[in-house]
Amino acid sequence: VKTGLKIGLKMEEGARERLEDEVEALLAIFEGHEDIFVEVAGLDPALHDHAAVVVTVIPNDAPQELQLASTRVELLSGYPERTRPTVDLGCPFFVDRCGEEVAEILEMSDGQECLYQVVQCVAQAVSEGKSELREEETLAREEQLRLERQLEQTLADANSKGKEGGEVVLGRRLCFSHHIIAPSKRSAVVGWALELKLGGCSKIGWPGLIAVEG
């Protein structure tokens, strides 16, 4: 086997060669791809009667929302002439982005190789998703910066009024969160602080922490 994969022994010789050629071409096309990493694994025919090869598509250098997403394509022993691949898009993001298109590709394959089309569809979804998520992050950072500046001004005004009216007593609290990742949540923290006229800072990631003072 040129790919070094252990492809199901129950496959006919011609079908096995077609599958080897398709997998080799796929790996060559997507080697060093900017948006996805393609991993191919042959399945032991002694343990898997029906499946021959599994192809996993993993987003590369992606925002947090996509880092744990992956798509699994299972090529069955009768592929491509008698069976179609089974595709698990892996997460709602891919289902929403390319679920219908992948289903259409599989429906129209009609005995022809379609692995490249499926992987390319996922790669396009990753590319578009990365662009949109990064744009959202940029907008969220800009909004957070605006809110922080507004908050600073509000606190300065409150401090000025406090000096005029008497002693100001400062309190602090530390809030724990399982995680703070989404730009919307980070923006909401700043917005709520502004609404309540409180100051502080937050730690992004796992876990998330919010230090509040006011």
Side-chain angles (χ1 to χ4, degrees), residues 147-166:
L147 292 174
E148 287 174 351
R149 289 172 178 167
Q150 188 175 348
L151 178 59
E152 289 175 359
Q153 185 59 49
T154 300
L155 292 174
D157 293 343
N159 187 46
S160 177
K161 291 180 181 179
K163 289 180 179 179
E164 295 174 0

Side-chain angles (χ1 to χ4, degrees), residues 69-83:
S70 65
T71 293
R72 176 185 171 99
V73 183
E74 191 171 283
L75 305 178
L76 306 182
S77 296
Y79 171 83
E81 293 183 349
R82 297 191 305 276
T83 61

Side-chain angles (χ1 to χ4, degrees), residues 1 3 10 17 30 33 56 58 63-64 76 78 86 101 110 113 131 137 150 157 164-165 185 188:
V1 177
T3 59
K10 295 182 180 180
E17 290 178 356
F30 289 99
H33 195 277
T56 306
I58 305 169
Q64 192 70 44
L76 306 182
T86 60
E101 186 174 349
D110 194 24
E113 289 86 346
S131 177
E137 288 180 352
Q150 188 175 348
D157 293 343
E164 295 174 0
K185 181 183 289 187

Side-chain angles (χ1 to χ4, degrees), residues 29-160:
I29 291 170
F30 289 99
E31 183 178 4
H33 195 277
E34 180 181 0
D35 296 315
I36 63 170
F37 172 74
V38 178
E39 185 176 70
V40 180
L43 299 180
D44 188 339
L47 302 176
H48 301 270
D49 292 334
H50 304 294
V53 171
V54 169
V55 178
T56 306
V57 184
I58 305 169
N60 183 33
D61 188 28
Q64 192 70 44
E65 289 84 345
L66 289 179
Q67 285 183 7
L68 300 180
S70 65
T71 293
R72 176 185 171 99
V73 183
E74 191 171 283
L75 305 178
L76 306 182
S77 296
Y79 171 83
E81 293 183 349
R82 297 191 305 276
T83 61
R84 299 168 181 166
T86 60
V87 180
D88 179 4
L89 291 171
C91 71
F93 176 85
F94 287 139
V95 172
D96 292 341
R97 290 283 175 160
C98 56
E100 292 184 3
E101 186 174 349
V102 167
E104 184 176 348
I105 290 171
L106 298 179
E107 181 68 25
M108 298 181 64
S109 60
D110 194 24
Q112 299 298 316
E113 289 86 346
C114 60
L115 182 56
Y116 167 77
Q117 290 91 328
V118 171
V119 175
Q120 177 60 30
C121 181
V122 175
Q124 183 66 28
V126 172
S127 176
E128 294 174 356
K130 286 168 64 174
S131 177
E132 292 179 12
L133 288 170
R134 284 171 177 159
E135 183 177 350
E136 289 178 5
E137 288 180 352
T138 299
L139 293 175
R141 283 195 297 268
E142 292 175 352
E143 176 65 9
Q144 183 169 349
L145 183 59
R146 184 189 69 80
L147 292 174
E148 287 174 351
R149 289 172 178 167
Q150 188 175 348
L151 178 59
E152 289 175 359
Q153 185 59 49
T154 300
L155 292 174
D157 293 343
N159 187 46
S160 177

Side-chain angles (χ1 to χ4, degrees), residues 9 23 26 118-119 131 166 172 184 207:
L9 297 177
V23 169
L26 183 80
V118 171
V119 175
S131 177
R172 293 188 179 90
S184 57

